[in-house]
Amino acid sequence: MSWLVAGSSRPSTLVSRMNCLVCIMSCLGLTIQTPECRLATNISSKRKAGCFNGIQTLLQTMPVKIEAGEKLEIATGLIRDFPEYNYRGAMLDVARHFFSVQDVKRYIDFLAAYKMNALHLHLSDDQGWRIEIKSWPNLTTHGGSTEVGGGEGGFYTQEQYSEIVQYAMDRNIMIVPEIDMPGHTNAA
């Protein structure tokens, strides 16, 4: 799979096209090539996630702000990026400090920008139970009402949690949920 970023005097447009790659790449490896003529930048990878990461790399080479009508120039050259580790992630402890769905999505956007592919969500601990289990409503009634530092806490409905998972999947990030064993969790 590859993405072609076509250039002109207007801001670049992104055009998707499929490309059979002959070269052997790791699943998340990518190649970005902008020829001297600067007519197009080609982002190639074996997988969709690699192309997504290539777009993140390309965005990081561009100016933070560009004025309307200003010509956007992309530097010429070749970038080959093959991550050393297949699992690159971060942990968000929503059990101790609850974050809204919007805050979690913003965190996911940061992870995507830095080409991470896993988010470990700590959903239960002594300080809180953060995911709705419809057959066990007391888990969120009691465990969702507190957090470290005396805050009001909160929890994610099953629909909200599904929304977070889908949002992450759309950015090639896997959610790894952590539910502690009942002997370790006083919040329940």
Side-chain angles (χ1 to χ4, degrees):
M1 176 176 281
S2 68
W3 292 86
L4 180 67
V5 180
S8 69
S9 58
R10 301 178 312 214
S12 297
T13 57
L14 195 61
V15 181
S16 170
R17 67 181 170 98
M18 298 304 289
N19 182 17
C20 296
L21 295 177
V22 179
C23 62
I24 297 170
M25 294 184 191
S26 71
C27 292
L28 297 172
L30 62 100
T31 302
I32 302 174
Q33 186 167 17
T34 304
E36 290 292 327
C37 64
R38 295 185 186 190
L39 292 177
T41 295
N42 190 38
I43 300 173
S44 300
S45 179
K46 214 173 179 182
R47 301 270 172 106
K48 178 184 144 203
C51 284
F52 181 87
N53 289 342
I55 292 169
Q56 300 307 311
T57 298
L58 188 61
L59 289 172
Q60 290 170 3
T61 66
M62 294 182 181
V64 173
K65 185 177 179 183
I66 189 165
E67 300 296 324
E70 186 179 342
K71 185 176 180 181
L72 177 63
E73 291 195 22
I74 298 171
T76 61
L78 176 66
I79 298 172
R80 286 195 178 104
D81 185 6
F82 296 86
E84 187 171 349
Y85 302 103
N86 285 330
Y87 183 99
R88 298 169 319 282
M91 193 265 266
L92 186 59
D93 189 349
V94 297
R96 291 183 179 89
H97 303 281
F98 184 71
F99 293 92
S100 71
V101 172
Q102 286 308 110
D103 288 339
V104 174
K105 286 180 176 181
R106 182 174 161 95
Y107 191 71
I108 289 169
D109 287 337
F110 285 127
L111 295 179
Y114 290 103
K115 299 177 256 182
M116 294 194 177
N117 62 3
L119 172 57
H120 174 139
L121 271 182
H122 190 163
L123 295 167
S124 69
D125 211 318
D126 286 346
Q127 294 79 12
W129 186 279
R130 304 297 181 211
I131 188 165
E132 175 186 45
I133 309 294
K134 291 185 180 185
S135 60
W136 296 84
N138 282 338
L139 289 173
T140 52
T141 300
H142 300 290
S145 64
T146 62
E147 73 173 46
V148 171
E152 63 184 54
F155 66 92
Y156 306 113
T157 65
Q158 288 183 3
E159 294 76 18
Q160 289 173 319
Y161 185 74
S162 293
E163 180 184 339
I164 290 169
V165 170
Q166 185 60 55
Y167 191 84
M169 285 175 50
D170 291 344
R171 287 148 185 79
N172 303 294
I173 295 173
M174 171 183 58
I175 298 289
V176 180
E178 178 187 344
I179 305 289
D180 287 331
M181 301 302 290
H184 179 68
T185 304
N186 290 326

